[in-house]
Amino acid sequence: MGGVEVREWSVQAAAQYERAHQQYVGGARKLEALIDELIGEEEGINYLSATARAKDPESFLAKASKPNPDDPTQPKYDDPLNQITDLVAARVITFLAEAVDRVCEVIEAEFDIVEHTDMGAHTRAQGVFGYASKHYLVRLNAHRRDLPEYAVLRNLTMEIQVRTAVQHAWAEFEHDIRYKLDIPPERKPEFDRRFLLAAALMELADNEFTEIDRLYRELAAAADDAAPMDLTTATLTTYLTRRYPDAPHAKTNHYAWILGILARLGVTTEEQLTELLAGTDSAAVQAAMTHRFPAGTVRRLDDDLLAAKGSEYVELFPEEERRQKILRGRLKALGRAGIIEN
């Protein structure tokens, strides 16, 4: 098969992909919503963004047109629509490296993993600094493959990348320079050296953010909780960090969400919240919940409020059928553990 034929093969595949492109766009929306639900709504992980996209038809054509590196007269992909694995791809960006690990735990539990590549482990094994993203090729698990709402993703292999905001900035800038600019060979070592230095600073920045988070937790634990303070997003964040020192931080908007719930309960000060939770054994509550992953601070408070108020707490959400169903399930778990009366 000659070069012209390789091109014709890819053009036919690209035309087929373009006709079906909107289906993949819909699939990307489904994947993005699913990831948001899994890491945000269910696990309360503190992340910057979770986005998904369908591959652009022009990008598909360019990739499908690549020749086989071992035999340039042959195409790299015999069946591009099934062999190209980033037709639908997602990216999750977190603030802290700790959250990257938590997101990866969720992905590994909720999807069938086809392939996993830890780019950071690869660069560390080489004794250098560089790209530290975690890449997954995944498929829907058996349960979701049977759900009509995921029909568009049922037989698709998808890509998910997870990295910190610092890693993301480095990767995007590096890609724009290295792959979109024709760097003369004599200048390449200069660019390589500066990118290596930037990668070292990237790792240092992620480490320092982790250390800053540790110092903040230490400071919050030592804060004086005797003085009555009105609850705001800031004071509640510190209060929950102090109450649940080992729990990961939640997203900023989740603190505002739980603050609104506390207001509905008539709780507007730290003193009132402490009084409400005085008889609640938080460790026992978490043992009863059997969450698959460490619950964040807002989820911990949500569980404790349920234990403290029982069915009264469930009734705070008359218009939220899904949330009521989830809370009733947790309420049964608390009853089985003997923490509340059924």
Side-chain angles (χ1 to χ4, degrees), residues 306 310-311 314 326-335 340 342:
L306 179 63
S311 58
V314 180
I326 291 172
L327 289 176
R328 288 194 185 100
R330 293 184 199 166
L331 206 56
K332 288 180 180 178
L334 292 172
I340 64 171
N342 284 317

Side-chain angles (χ1 to χ4, degrees), residues 176-336:
D176 283 348
I177 297 297
R178 285 197 197 275
Y179 297 100
K180 296 183 181 178
L181 180 66
D182 188 15
I183 302 173
E186 67 275 10
R187 299 294 302 276
K188 190 173 182 297
E190 178 185 358
F191 279 84
D192 288 344
R193 179 179 176 277
R194 291 188 179 277
F195 272 118
L196 186 62
L197 177 59
L201 293 173
M202 170 185 69
E203 185 170 316
L204 177 63
D206 272 337
N207 289 342
E208 287 304 304
F209 285 148
T210 297
E211 180 63 12
I212 289 168
D213 181 64
R214 186 193 67 79
L215 291 173
Y216 168 74
R217 291 174 179 276
E218 187 179 276
L219 188 63
D224 179 14
D225 59 357
M229 294 189 67
D230 290 338
L231 287 174
T232 64
T233 301
T235 60
L236 180 63
T237 301
T238 301
Y239 179 93
L240 296 184
T241 302
R242 186 166 66 247
R243 180 176 175 86
Y244 311 114
D246 298 325
H249 291 303
K251 285 180 70 67
T252 301
N253 63 333
H254 288 186
Y255 290 99
W257 170 77
I258 200 74
L259 198 63
I261 293 173
L262 290 172
R264 278 189 264 171
L265 289 169
V267 176
T268 59
T269 68
E270 291 185 8
E271 185 178 26
Q272 291 172 333
L273 182 54
T274 299
E275 184 178 342
L276 174 60
L277 300 177
T280 303
D281 184 341
S282 186
V285 170
Q286 285 308 289
M289 291 293 104
T290 62
H291 294 308
R292 288 171 299 173
F293 311 105
T297 52
V298 170
R299 172 57 57 78
R300 292 286 299 272
L301 177 58
D302 191 37
D303 290 340
D304 283 355
L305 290 172
L306 179 63
K309 302 296 289 185
S311 58
E312 183 183 338
Y313 190 65
V314 180
E315 298 308 318
L316 285 177
F317 311 95
E319 306 299 323
E320 300 177 45
E321 184 177 340
R322 180 173 177 272
R323 176 156 169 77
Q324 282 199 340
K325 182 178 179 181
I326 291 172
L327 289 176
R328 288 194 185 100
R330 293 184 199 166
L331 206 56
K332 288 180 180 178
L334 292 172
R336 286 193 297 269

Side-chain angles (χ1 to χ4, degrees), residues 75-145:
K76 182 177 180 178
Y77 302 103
D78 295 321
D79 185 6
L81 280 169
N82 290 313
Q83 291 174 315
I84 294 176
T85 55
D86 64 343
L87 300 184
V88 170
R91 180 178 294 145
V92 181
I93 300 172
T94 71
F95 295 102
L96 297 175
E98 168 202 64
V100 169
D101 294 335
R102 294 189 67 211
V103 171
C104 289
E105 287 179 357
V106 174
I107 290 171
E108 290 171 14
E110 296 289 346
F111 292 89
D112 288 345
I113 307 301
V114 177
E115 182 178 302
H116 171 218
T117 305
D118 185 339
M119 304 301 291
H122 178 69
T123 55
R124 287 191 296 273
Q126 294 179 310
V128 297
F129 299 98
Y131 190 50
S133 182
K134 296 189 178 183
H135 292 189
Y136 289 90
L137 293 182
V138 306
R139 295 174 69 86
L140 292 179
N141 61 24
H143 167 67
R144 290 194 180 89
R145 282 199 298 271

Side-chain angles (χ1 to χ4, degrees), residues 8-182:
E8 288 176 352
W9 176 279
S10 61
V11 167
Q12 291 175 10
Q16 186 178 350
Y17 176 72
E18 187 162 14
R19 287 194 296 271
H21 184 245
Q22 284 306 309
Q23 295 180 27
Y24 291 96
V25 170
R29 293 196 192 103
K30 284 291 183 183
L31 179 60
E32 183 176 308
L34 176 58
I35 292 173
D36 268 327
E37 178 185 323
L38 292 173
I39 68 174
E41 292 180 32
E42 294 189 11
E43 297 305 327
I45 296 173
N46 188 19
Y47 64 100
L48 176 62
S49 64
T51 56
R53 59 98 184 117
K55 197 169 190 67
D56 182 84
E58 289 187 10
S59 297
F60 177 89
L61 176 60
K63 196 164 188 175
S65 299
K66 288 184 177 181
N68 190 317
D70 298 324
D71 182 0
T73 66
Q74 298 294 321
K76 182 177 180 178
Y77 302 103
D78 295 321
D79 185 6
L81 280 169
N82 290 313
Q83 291 174 315
I84 294 176
T85 55
D86 64 343
L87 300 184
V88 170
R91 180 178 294 145
V92 181
I93 300 172
T94 71
F95 295 102
L96 297 175
E98 168 202 64
V100 169
D101 294 335
R102 294 189 67 211
V103 171
C104 289
E105 287 179 357
V106 174
I107 290 171
E108 290 171 14
E110 296 289 346
F111 292 89
D112 288 345
I113 307 301
V114 177
E115 182 178 302
H116 171 218
T117 305
D118 185 339
M119 304 301 291
H122 178 69
T123 55
R124 287 191 296 273
Q126 294 179 310
V128 297
F129 299 98
Y131 190 50
S133 182
K134 296 189 178 183
H135 292 189
Y136 289 90
L137 293 182
V138 306
R139 295 174 69 86
L140 292 179
N141 61 24
H143 167 67
R144 290 194 180 89
R145 282 199 298 271
D146 290 336
L147 297 177
E149 62 191 285
Y150 294 115
V152 69
L153 300 176
R154 184 169 294 144
N155 300 312
L156 197 63
T157 297
M158 301 162 284
E159 179 180 288
I160 303 177
Q161 298 179 2
V162 190
R163 58 202 190 203
T164 66
V166 174
Q167 293 165 4
H168 178 66
W170 184 91
E172 290 294 290
F173 185 71
E174 192 255 5
H175 180 270
D176 283 348
I177 297 297
R178 285 197 197 275
Y179 297 100
K180 296 183 181 178
L181 180 66
D182 188 15

